[in-house]
Amino acid sequence: MASHNSEMANARRHASEEFVMLAHEYKPEKHTDLIGWLVSEKLDGVRARYHKGKLYSRSKKVFPAPQFYLDKLEKKLKGIEADGELFIAPKKFQETVSIVRCAKEDRGWNKIRYIVFDVVADGKYNDRTRPARMTLHHSCAEM
């Protein structure tokens, strides 16, 4: 995912209109100055936003995560509203989808990691993600 800091900050100002920020395609003819751009690996998982103790899809549907998973996530995030990816491993997308659609604790939720790549707040990316990095002890937070 690549985005320019000013574009990201502007998009955050409109966060109430959009539930999650989406990546934009890099176009060399349009984006000639790459200073300030950030790039992250595309994970083969399911996009999820953590908000008030629940995980939501891009379409604002609640994922039926078991309580042990949500408790563990809340303990790590300490109330931070996060945007990330539910992820097992590369090439495990179908398995990830089948697990996150099911609330049964024995269904594999213990395999699912929540990779945080942004937090829901105003400001530039590095400024708004600083509290999460401090809480989670590294920049690409995972649970």
Side-chain angles (χ1 to χ4, degrees), residues 104-121:
K104 295 179 182 175
E105 292 188 22
D106 61 347
R107 185 80 172 119
W109 273 91
N110 59 337
K111 293 189 221 176
I112 301 290
R113 295 183 292 162
Y114 183 59
I115 310 295
V116 175
F117 49 76
D118 203 352
V119 297
V120 181

Side-chain angles (χ1 to χ4, degrees), residues 59-90:
S59 61
K60 301 182 184 178
K61 293 181 181 173
V62 177
F63 285 110
Q67 194 59 49
F68 85 87
Y69 191 87
L70 295 172
D71 291 345
K72 189 171 147 183
L73 194 54
E74 178 59 30
K75 185 177 179 182
K76 284 268 193 179
L77 290 172
K78 299 178 182 175
I80 293 172
E81 191 170 345
D83 190 4
E85 194 93 358
L86 296 166
F87 178 74
I88 295 176

Side-chain angles (χ1 to χ4, degrees), residues 1 12 20-21 39-50 55-56 63 69 72-73 76-77 80-90 96 100 109-120 125 129 132-133 136 138-143:
M1 173 168 74
R12 281 289 169 215
V20 296
M21 183 184 293
V39 178
S40 66
E41 176 183 8
K42 167 65 177 100
L43 300 174
D44 202 13
V46 177
R47 181 78 174 266
R49 180 168 166 182
Y50 181 75
L55 286 166
Y56 293 87
F63 285 110
Y69 191 87
K72 189 171 147 183
L73 194 54
K76 284 268 193 179
L77 290 172
I80 293 172
E81 191 170 345
D83 190 4
E85 194 93 358
L86 296 166
F87 178 74
I88 295 176
T96 302
V100 302
W109 273 91
N110 59 337
K111 293 189 221 176
I112 301 290
R113 295 183 292 162
Y114 183 59
I115 310 295
V116 175
F117 49 76
D118 203 352
V119 297
V120 181
Y125 179 81
T129 58
R133 288 193 316 268
L136 297 163
H138 50 80
S139 61
C140 185
E142 91 178 47
M143 195 215 57

Side-chain angles (χ1 to χ4, degrees), residues 1-51:
M1 173 168 74
S3 293
H4 191 272
N5 282 340
S6 62
E7 289 175 356
M8 292 174 72
N10 188 37
R12 281 289 169 215
R13 283 191 274 283
H14 302 292
S16 61
E17 298 168 15
E18 297 179 21
F19 193 64
V20 296
M21 183 184 293
L22 301 177
H24 296 281
E25 182 180 348
Y26 166 70
K27 296 178 181 172
E29 67 280 358
K30 180 180 176 187
H31 306 109
T32 57
D33 181 8
L34 298 182
I35 294 173
W37 281 72
L38 303 171
V39 178
S40 66
E41 176 183 8
K42 167 65 177 100
L43 300 174
D44 202 13
V46 177
R47 181 78 174 266
R49 180 168 166 182
Y50 181 75
H51 175 71

